[in-house]
């Protein structure tokens, strides 16, 4: 059974550019959440998508956006990149039938470096 | 607002010694609690989860955690540390009724000395 797949694994972008990260959840999982991990702020929730709808959002500026497709794959986009956006971006998927029984499975992340 | 506090950003134990990683949470409603482990350059792996069933939860790799409502704690333990346990550990809470969102503690780096 394939796990959560995030692509690409590594990215280097220049300030002001935009970037799109991809996440393919475990087959059958309908909920996809995104997190940003940095040494200073730790793990912070960005947003969650369920059935192509954003169901939950963290405290991030509007430059951070996402979407989910009908096959549950999700993308997140960051526009006008800043140096502070350098981080490991993690995606997690869940069955969402009963989240408390199944928990969340994380991908290996995309390491974004903004120069 | 719910929050998680992990006491001790670094814990060092000898191989074979008891591992104890501390986690306290604040929640106005019954929480759902998780412990995750992260190895270098990898994502998070679920160790165990508390979902209001048994208060003593057993997880993978010999880890277990006990939910103590009176102390608002969910400490992670392992009787005997292995070198392979060296990693960063995160405690997290899922706000009741708020799906898809986990609130994480700051993490504890476990060092295992030979």
């Amino acid at each position: 059974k394939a796990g959560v797949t995030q692509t690409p694994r590594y990215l280097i972008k220049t300030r002001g550019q935009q970037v799109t990260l991809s996440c393919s959840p475990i087959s059958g999982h309908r909920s996809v959440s995104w997190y940003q991990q940095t040494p200073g702020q730790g793990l912070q929730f960005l947003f969650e998508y369920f059935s192509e709808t954003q169901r939950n959002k963290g405290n991030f500026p509007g430059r951070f956006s996402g979407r989910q497709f009908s096959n549950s794959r999700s993308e997140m986009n960051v526009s006008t990149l800043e140096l502070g956006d350098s981080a490991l971006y993690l995606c997690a998927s869940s069955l969402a039938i009963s989240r408390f029984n199944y928990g969340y499975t994380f991908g290996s992340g995309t390491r974004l470096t903004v120069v | 607002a719910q929050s998680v506090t992990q006491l001790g950003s670094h814990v060092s134990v000898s191989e074979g010694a008891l591992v104890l990683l501390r986690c306290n949470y604040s929640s106005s409603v019954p929480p759902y609690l998780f412990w995750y482990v992260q190895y270098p350059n990898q994502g998070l792996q679920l160790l165990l989860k508390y979902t209001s069933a048994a208060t003593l939860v057993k997880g993978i790799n010999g880890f277990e955690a006990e939910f103590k409502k009176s102390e608002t704690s969910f400490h992670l333990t392992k009787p005997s540390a292995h070198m392979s346990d060296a990693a960063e550990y995160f405690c997290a809470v899922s706000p009741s009724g708020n799906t898809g969102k986990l609130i994480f503690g700051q993490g504890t780096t476990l060092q295992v000395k030979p």
Side-chain angles (χ1 to χ4, degrees), chain A residues 9-10 31 33 35 37 40-43 45 48 55-56 88 90 99-109 111, chain B residues 32 34 36 38 41-46 49-51 88 90 94-106:
Chain A
R9 285 298 309 275
Y10 301 92
S31 167
S33 301
Y35 293 81
Q37 185 178 24
Q41 299 299 315
L43 282 153
F45 173 75
E48 183 219 3
R55 188 161 66 171
N56 223 326
L88 179 66
L90 292 165
R99 69 189 185 282
F100 306 125
N101 288 331
Y102 297 101
Y104 308 87
T105 302
F106 282 80
S108 297
R111 173 76 63 185
Chain B
Y32 299 87
F34 304 82
Y36 282 88
Q38 185 177 36
N41 297 316
Q42 294 188 26
L44 302 174
Q45 181 183 9
L46 179 66
K49 56 185 181 286
Y50 168 75
T51 57
E88 190 160 20
F90 293 93
S94 176
S96 178
N98 198 352
T99 60
K101 177 178 180 178
L102 288 173
I103 297 170
F104 286 90
Q106 286 299 308

Side-chain angles (χ1 to χ4, degrees), chain B residues 13-95:
Chain B
V13 301
S14 298
E15 191 174 20
L18 171 72
V19 175
L20 171 61
L21 305 182
R22 300 177 186 273
C23 173
N24 287 87
Y25 67 92
S26 69
S27 174
S28 58
V29 296
Y32 299 87
L33 295 158
F34 304 82
W35 274 100
Y36 282 88
V37 61
Q38 185 177 36
Y39 298 98
N41 297 316
Q42 294 188 26
L44 302 174
Q45 181 183 9
L46 179 66
L47 281 175
L48 49 81
K49 56 185 181 286
Y50 168 75
T51 57
S52 72
T55 57
L56 182 62
V57 182
K58 294 188 183 298
I60 62 171
N61 301 338
F63 285 95
E64 63 181 36
E66 186 173 7
F67 172 71
K68 292 186 176 181
K69 183 177 179 180
S70 61
E71 298 177 8
T72 61
S73 68
F74 191 57
H75 302 330
L76 182 71
T77 61
K78 182 175 181 177
S80 177
H82 295 161
M83 297 296 293
S84 61
D85 293 328
E88 190 160 20
Y89 292 79
F90 293 93
C91 180
V93 63
S94 176

Side-chain angles (χ1 to χ4, degrees), chain A residues 51-82:
Chain A
S51 292
E52 302 179 62
T53 300
Q54 187 181 87
R55 188 161 66 171
N56 223 326
K57 190 177 189 305
N59 296 323
F60 278 82
R63 300 185 298 107
F64 292 82
S65 62
R67 60 177 175 170
Q68 186 180 34
F69 301 95
S70 58
N71 61 357
S72 293
R73 189 177 71 86
S74 177
E75 291 181 345
M76 70 162 281
N77 183 278
V78 187
S79 62
T80 320
L81 283 166
E82 301 177 359

